[in-house]
Structures are given as structure tokens and as C-alpha cells.
Amino acid sequence: MDDPWVRLVAEQLRIVGLVHEAFDADEIAGDLADRTALNDSLDELIAEAGPEPDPIAFDLRWGE
Amino acid sequence: MRASVAEAAAAIRSGQTTSRALTEASLESAERLQADLAAFVVTDPEGALAAAEEADLAVAEGRDLGPLMGIPVAVKDIVDVAGLPTRCGSKTYSGGAVSTDATLTRRLKQGGAVIIGKTTAHELACGVYSSPASNPWSTDRIPGGSSGGSGAAVAAGIVPLAIGSDTGGSIRIPAALCGVVGLKPTYGRVSRAGVEPLSWSLDHLGPLASTVEGCASALEVMAGRDPADRSTADLAAPTLLDVSERGVEGLRLGVLTRAPFDPMQPAVEEVMAAATERLGESGATMVAVSIPELEHTLAAEFGIVGPEAGAHHRERLQARPDLIDPGIRALLVAGLLLPAEQYIKSLRARGVISQAIKRAFLGHRLDALLSPTLPATAAEKDQDELVFESVAEPVTLSYVRTTAPFNLSGLPAMSVPAGLDHQGLPIGLQIAAAPFDESMLVRIGRHFEQLSGFLELVPPCHADGGAA
């Protein structure tokens, strides 16, 4: 719990109402770091796409 | 030989059999095979037999209830069926029977379907194991998921048609692993009203059936605008069955290469090569297609599922986290704690991926894209990882990486059985088409189904006694 990142996660858990022994801040902090790294891998894809892609994703009317 | 929806409906209409007889057989085999397959969480003999008798009365009176007239159908246990509980494979759902049908259920019934029960789903429709359900081709292996019970029930011949949902592949994964046909329609084609969500912008509903024609019949009944689900497209239900015998001559089919479709098991590679060769010999032009943007499929998929599922299940997570699988719990927690910017980034990535697929279709003038549905056959129940070229990969990620591109893009995609590996486990061919062009899936799928010879194959665990 000395790790500031783990302390932040513990605080976040409390803020969103996830208060239960099932939530281990240490373990969750590690998982979030992995997920953030995976998500950051999208930066390159988005940058290469040129003008900032609109987050509205679906384009299902190709004939129009 | 598999019983198809069309054959069963024709037999009922001609008086060769009755809906009651078929429904009794389905209920009997569901019960008999439950110890081996655990495909069902609940059956409804009383309701099913009443519906079957209604169908038989309609036949006697010369009334046509629709293409599913009198056909026994199973529904994944995330879809509301009046009179039965909806439990989503989760211990956190303890409510009793629901009082209203989902729109999808209502349409199936209006099309003549006899709902015999609800099938086993992976917990919260968020996984590929669907425990405790088993694969009819090898009962120590998983049926896939999250619509695993639906895949197992169709493969085992308990029903010719079942309903599943697909957020990252959950119709096509069990279809491929169980050797049946699974069709994920275009986003917005089928109403999700009355269905427990996982991820609103990725969830799709569709059929799993013993044949392509069965999926087509079901989709014709299920599809169409629904005021109760504003995501549904303002389009009439498609007409699919009249295209099913047109063959593939003159079509241009893109064969997807490199990641995320590579790496794959050697047997999958062999079956894919044979499939594309056969389609080429049938007159289709085969075009190798690489879409590098698809390498980011998993990052985008999980960056969307987490926040959407976390938001939906927040109260459940707060109240009884101990009743939720730790892996799913981690995904839900991440969805609630990670910055919103990560969700936005994933949505943007989805846009980039969708446009890349569209460019591939238009640039190569393609009628459809082909790939292996999955890079591997069914994992063992206690197996955590698959190994490709000495590199281990979690089972769930292996299965989702090839199917999720078409959840992110919303494009229609179908898995059709293509062959068996050396252990006798099914391998699926995935066909994806342009938006709302499910008829192209049916056309190619039907032709390929006849080429593959897979319809003659029966798994060892089957209602009729199984393979010799």
C-alpha cells in the first residue's frame, strides 16, 4: 500500500463504491497497468489514421 | 445426417410427423444428454408441448404460422422468455420467471417456433468456456462461448436451431468449435430488447443452426426494426432463402492473411487452404487481403467491453463481487476505474478498423471476406492457454482475435463447418460481408456447406446415438 499508484487505485475503488474484500487494490493496480499498456498500443493506429478519427464508429450505409 | 429446419418444417406441414413428436424427441434428448453436455439450464416441457399442439392444430386447419412452424428451438439464457427465469450464467441473478418475452422471443414464436428451454451461457455472456457445458465432439472439451449451450444443443441434434448472442464472437466461436453454422447479423439487424446486455455497442443476436438454411430461416423471422430497441435499423427483414442456391461463380472473395488470423494451428491452415481452393474451383475469384489495422483488434475490443459492461453491471459488482468470476470481475472493475479517454481511444480505433475493412472491400471489389473462424479447435476444459509456434496465448484471446473484427465493424459474419482436425474436432470457415448483406453469407455459406461434406458428419455425443 506504500505504492502511490496502489493507494490511488484503493481510493478510486472507494469512490466508485467497490468496497469488499474481493477487491485487492494491489492486484487491481497491476491489472490496470497491463490494460493501460494494451490501450496505449492504439495510439499509433489512431495517429496513422490522419485527422483525428471521430469516435462515432459505425458506418453501415456505404451506398449513401 | 443432420435434420434441418426446412426438412423438419416440411415434414410437419405434410403430416409426415407432428410438432408434438419432434418436441417430445427434443425434450427427451435434452434430458438424456444433460449429464454429458449440460447444454440446458432449464427446459419447459409444459409450455413447449402446448405450443407444439398449437402448431399441429394450425397444420390441421391449413394455417401457416411461418418458416419455423412447429420447430423446437432453444434460446440462450440471456434472452427473456415469459414464464422462465433469465440467469445469464451468473449466481448474481436470483429473480424468478420473467413475465414478458424479449422482442426476439416474440418474433420466434410468431414465426411458429416452439421454445423448449434455455441454454447454458458463459457467466454474464463474457467468456468462451460456458462451464459446465461440454462439446459433443469431445465431452472433455469446451463448446466455446459464450453461447456454448446453444452450440452444443444444435451439434448434438437436440434442436435444429438455437439462439445466441455475440459481443466478441460468442455465436461464431461455439458454432466453429461444435461444428454447426452460426450467423452474427449486421449491428442493428436484430432487436436486443428484453436481452441482458454485455456491451451495448458490440452486442449482436443471431442464430446457430445445423445448416445455413436454418440460420437463414431464423434470421428472416428475427430481423427488423423494433421501436423498443432504437439501435435497430429501419429496414425490412431480409429475404435470404431465395439466394441460397446461386453458387459462387463470379464472386470475388478476399482471403484474410497475417495477424490477427495468424498464427493458427496447422490443421486449421490445411482446412482453410482446402476451403479456398474448393471455392476457387467453383468459379469464385480468390484475392489475398491483408488489413494491418486488424492487429489492434483485441485492444479496441477490450477497451470498449470493459467500460460498457462495467457500467451495466456496476450495482451487481458492488453488491456481490464474490459471486463473479475473478477474471470477469477484473474486466468490470477496469471498466469503472480506467480513464474515460481510454474508452474514447478504443472507439476511435474501432472507427479506424471499420474504415480499413471497408477500404479492403471497396478497393478489391470484394463480395465477402474469408478467414478461419478460429485459429484453433476446442480447448480442454481445464486448459488456460493455446500454443502457436511455441508461443502460448490465453484461450479466450486466441478465439476472440479472429472474430471480434466483425463486432467492432458491425459487419455480418457467419461460421460454417469446414472440416475436422486429426483429433476429430471441428474447424470453421468465417465469411464476412458488407453491411446488411446477410444474403451474401447465405449464398456463399450454402454453397460451401454442400462442397465440404460436413453435413454428413455426426459427433460422438448425439441425440441419435452419435458417430459409429
Side-chain angles (χ1 to χ4, degrees), chain A residues 8-64:
Chain A
L8 177 63
V9 168
E11 180 64 6
Q12 277 186 299
L13 285 167
R14 192 187 62 76
I15 289 169
V16 299
L18 300 182
V19 182
H20 190 281
E21 61 187 18
F23 299 116
D24 178 339
D26 212 344
E27 191 179 315
I28 290 169
D31 179 68
L32 295 184
D34 291 344
R35 290 178 193 274
T36 298
L38 180 64
N39 195 264
D40 285 346
S41 71
L42 296 174
D43 289 339
E44 188 185 346
L45 174 74
I46 291 169
E48 285 175 358
E52 295 235 323
D54 189 319
I56 304 298
F58 285 114
D59 176 9
L60 302 174
R61 300 183 187 281
W62 294 357
E64 294 177 7

Side-chain angles (χ1 to χ4, degrees), chain B residues 216-372:
Chain B
S217 297
L219 187 58
E220 285 189 356
V221 167
M222 294 160 64
R225 174 115 178 95
D226 177 19
D229 178 357
R230 286 177 294 135
S231 73
T232 49
D234 194 10
L235 295 169
T239 303
L240 299 170
L241 293 171
D242 62 347
V243 303
S244 64
E245 304 302 334
R246 286 189 193 168
V248 298
E249 190 167 357
L251 297 182
R252 288 177 61 80
L253 306 179
V255 182
L256 285 161
T257 59
R258 67 182 276 181
F261 305 98
D262 277 327
M264 63 183 98
Q265 289 175 340
V268 175
E269 200 165 350
E270 286 166 24
V271 166
M272 263 305 288
T276 54
E277 188 180 334
R278 282 175 171 168
L279 288 167
E281 288 168 355
S282 297
T285 300
M286 312 305 289
V287 183
V289 174
S290 167
I291 307 177
E293 290 86 348
L294 298 186
E295 290 182 28
H296 297 275
T297 293
L298 289 175
E301 171 80 12
F302 286 101
I304 295 169
V305 173
E308 294 189 1
H312 176 66
H313 289 299
R314 178 174 172 161
E315 289 181 13
R316 189 162 285 112
L317 191 61
Q318 287 172 329
R320 291 306 305 266
D322 53 316
L323 296 184
I324 300 173
D325 170 80
I328 297 173
R329 196 168 64 213
L331 178 71
L332 302 180
V333 170
L336 292 176
L337 297 196
L338 287 171
E341 185 264 347
Q342 292 198 15
Y343 176 59
I344 296 297
K345 192 191 295 181
S346 302
L347 293 179
R348 282 180 166 163
R350 175 166 70 182
V352 175
I353 287 169
S354 299
Q355 290 301 310
I357 298 175
K358 178 180 175 180
R359 276 197 307 277
F361 263 96
L362 300 182
H364 292 285
R365 293 177 290 113
L366 300 176
D367 296 293
L369 282 168
L370 307 179
S371 75

Side-chain angles (χ1 to χ4, degrees), chain B residues 147-159:
Chain B
S147 312
S150 290
V154 173
I158 297 170
V159 284

Side-chain angles (χ1 to χ4, degrees), chain B residues 74-99:
Chain B
V75 176
K76 183 178 185 178
D77 190 29
I78 67 166
V79 179
D80 282 350
V81 175
L84 300 176
T86 300
R87 296 276 166 81
C88 303
S90 169
K91 293 172 187 161
T92 62
Y93 289 73
S94 55
V98 302
S99 57

